[in-house]
Amino acid sequence: QKEVEQNSGPLSVPEGAIASLNCTYSDRGSQSFFWYRQYSGKSPELIMFIYSNGDKEDGRFTAQLNKASQYVSLLIRDSQPSDSATYLCAVNNSSGAGSYQLTFGKGTKLSVIP
Amino acid sequence: DGGITQSPKYLFRKEGQNVTLSCEQNLNHDAMYWYRQDPGQGLRLIYYSQIVNDFQKGDIAEGYSVSREKKESFPLTVTSAQKNPTAFYLCASSPGTGWVTGYTFGSGTRLTVV
């Protein structure tokens, strides 16, 4: 069973600070990694994806990938109260049943305090 | 605008009833998925379909059934055999390369047993 692990939180950060969200995965062959944001009562929306080791920046968001450590993270700079949500990490399965499907973590709840 | 439409937004089921959740997409995506989300839990895969007239069981298919007669539509029936159906149900779709592009989610259906 492929696993994607996230700290459930809640992670509380003050407004303007950097929020750091972490995710580890078990499938060493995984090639694509996604971060979804889910507001309470709403559906997930894709905010970032990364395929290569290193950093990928998009506005206030930076995704970081380290395949050797099987670790992916999301940094949110200048956090705003509107960033308060649950962040889901998703990783593709590289083999076996459901190959190429995405496996989702349970999510980390982020709370940005004004 | 292209997207995924789930209906109804809220659904109430009496004990012993079957209910059907609708999912329609106009994104021309090949693959479609049904997930269940319980409070504080991640997304659990119920069924998925990669092409018309073909679908596969996910991790928690018992008590559910689906059909894929058209590319655009992937309805989910929650049968009376599903003993604990109260949950938030999410439909998603992706192109055949969904493991690269990620999934697009509908707005969800909240099902409550009364």
Side-chain angles (χ1 to χ4, degrees):
Chain A
Q1 182 79 356
K2 310 297 194 294
E3 293 183 347
V4 177
E5 300 286 343
Q6 296 181 254
N7 188 323
S8 62
L11 172 66
S12 294
V13 300
E15 184 174 355
I18 296 175
S20 178
L21 305 163
N22 304 316
C23 172
T24 59
Y25 59 94
S26 64
D27 185 351
R28 187 168 288 280
S30 295
Q31 298 166 286
S32 54
F33 307 86
F34 304 87
W35 284 100
Y36 285 81
R37 178 176 61 200
Q38 186 176 21
Y39 292 114
S40 181
K42 303 297 184 181
S43 62
E45 58 177 322
L46 182 64
I47 55 172
M48 288 285 290
F49 58 86
I50 186 167
Y51 308 132
S52 303
N53 277 330
D55 295 0
K56 178 182 178 182
E57 186 175 319
D58 184 1
R60 295 186 297 111
F61 298 96
T62 299
Q64 299 177 317
L65 175 61
N66 184 327
K67 289 185 180 180
S69 300
Q70 295 175 243
Y71 177 92
V72 58
S73 64
L74 179 70
L75 301 179
I76 306 174
R77 290 183 300 281
D78 188 23
S79 295
Q80 301 297 308
S82 59
D83 294 325
S84 297
T86 296
Y87 289 81
L88 305 176
C89 174
V91 177
N92 83 291
N93 303 328
S94 67
S95 62
S99 184
Y100 299 112
Q101 304 288 328
L102 299 187
T103 295
F104 288 82
K106 293 184 177 181
T108 297
K109 186 172 184 178
L110 172 66
S111 180
V112 180
I113 312 300
Chain B
D1 288 338
I4 302 179
T5 300
Q6 288 188 244
S7 62
K9 189 175 178 66
Y10 299 97
L11 186 57
F12 298 91
R13 191 193 93 167
K14 293 182 180 179
E15 295 283 351
Q17 272 187 338
N18 292 352
V19 292
T20 298
L21 283 59
S22 172
C23 179
E24 303 273 337
Q25 54 99 359
N26 61 2
L27 299 166
N28 198 32
H29 284 172
D30 292 313
M32 298 186 74
Y33 314 83
W34 274 106
Y35 288 91
R36 168 179 173 146
Q37 189 174 40
D38 295 281
Q41 299 296 312
L43 302 178
R44 291 188 289 170
L45 182 64
I46 304 173
Y47 270 97
Y48 64 97
S49 169
Q50 293 176 307
I51 56 172
V52 174
N53 292 322
D54 186 58
F55 47 82
Q56 306 296 327
K57 292 182 178 180
D59 301 320
I60 56 165
E62 185 174 351
Y64 300 97
S65 65
V66 293
S67 63
R68 186 86 186 277
E69 297 177 0
K70 299 186 300 181
K71 187 176 184 178
E72 301 80 15
S73 178
F74 192 41
L76 173 74
T77 296
V78 184
T79 75
S80 58
Q82 172 48 241
K83 297 307 179 188
N84 186 23
T86 295
F88 189 43
Y89 290 85
L90 288 160
C91 179
S93 72
S94 72
T97 54
W99 66 279
V100 175
T101 61
Y103 299 169
T104 301
F105 285 88
S107 58
T109 292
R110 194 165 299 278
L111 174 62
T112 303
V113 174
V114 295

